[in-house]
Amino acid sequence: LHALRLVQKRRTAARPPAPSRIEAPNIKSEGIADSRAETARAVLDRAAEALRETQAKAKAIADPEARAGIERLGASGQRILNAVAERPELLARAQRVLTYHCERAVFLVGSLAALTQGPSVEAQRYQAIKHVLARMENLFERTALDLVAGDGKEMDLELRLISQALDEDLRP
């Protein structure tokens, strides 16, 4: 009985987390031009589709570490989608991630899955793809954090500009 519990515990620990469903959120379009809202909506829809495709392709990957990284990439991607939907003016700061990197993630995950399906895994190429995916995961996470922290950066800049203006205006 003890051995059975140990085996079950190891299987559970090795299993990657269940992927969450990636969705393109609704755009909050008050106060922005319809064309900008439509552009943001189109970018978010394409990025969400690419992230869903990465999750679908990840199912063919047996490596739990790689699958967990792909799931984290998807979670960060969803946070980026949500931030841009909430504030479409942030699209410019996330556009490269949403347009280029999401599409490239599909290619990388598909390539990783293909390598695991072949008769022999090309170890060097497999590790190179995992490394690039880890870097991409890092970029997605950093972008998600930057979109949320952006207000603080803007406030710091405004405070500096106001302070400089006050210094100039208060000079004798």
Side-chain angles (χ1 to χ4, degrees):
L1 184 63
H2 179 67
L4 182 60
R5 284 187 187 148
L6 264 174
V7 168
Q8 185 66 16
K9 187 176 181 181
R10 284 185 188 150
R11 282 185 185 162
T12 304
R15 233 179 277 149
S20 57
R21 176 82 174 140
I22 302 290
E23 295 293 334
N26 292 325
I27 302 284
K28 297 218 173 171
S29 57
E30 307 89 43
I32 64 168
D34 289 342
S35 60
R36 287 187 77 189
E38 285 303 316
T39 299
R41 186 171 292 112
V43 169
L44 293 182
D45 287 344
R46 282 193 304 269
E49 181 59 35
L51 291 169
R52 282 191 297 271
E53 203 173 329
T54 61
Q55 286 184 333
K57 291 179 183 236
K59 292 177 183 175
I61 299 170
D63 180 349
E65 178 186 336
R67 286 183 66 183
I70 295 163
E71 177 58 28
R72 288 189 304 270
L73 185 139
S76 295
Q78 183 67 63
R79 289 200 319 277
I80 294 168
L81 295 173
N82 293 342
V84 172
E86 184 70 29
R87 296 187 48 212
E89 68 272 14
L90 297 176
L91 177 61
R93 290 173 42 194
Q95 192 159 0
R96 185 166 171 92
V97 168
L98 294 173
T99 57
Y100 178 76
H101 291 294
C102 284
E103 292 295 327
R104 300 320 315 158
V106 173
F107 169 76
L108 290 171
V109 173
S111 298
L112 199 62
L115 285 175
T116 61
Q117 300 301 313
S120 66
V121 174
E122 297 178 46
Q124 188 174 4
R125 186 169 288 146
Y126 185 86
Q127 290 304 319
I129 293 171
K130 279 181 59 174
H131 176 72
V132 171
L133 277 169
R135 292 183 65 210
M136 189 176 282
E137 178 190 342
N138 186 13
L139 172 67
F140 276 51
E141 183 62 27
R142 190 176 78 201
T143 302
L145 291 172
D146 284 349
L147 291 176
V148 173
D151 290 340
K153 289 179 183 178
E154 290 171 22
M155 186 182 300
D156 291 344
L157 177 62
E158 281 298 320
L159 285 171
R160 245 180 292 145
L161 291 173
I162 293 168
S163 181
Q164 287 173 353
L166 286 169
D167 288 345
E168 290 174 13
D169 293 340
L170 292 173
R171 281 190 200 148

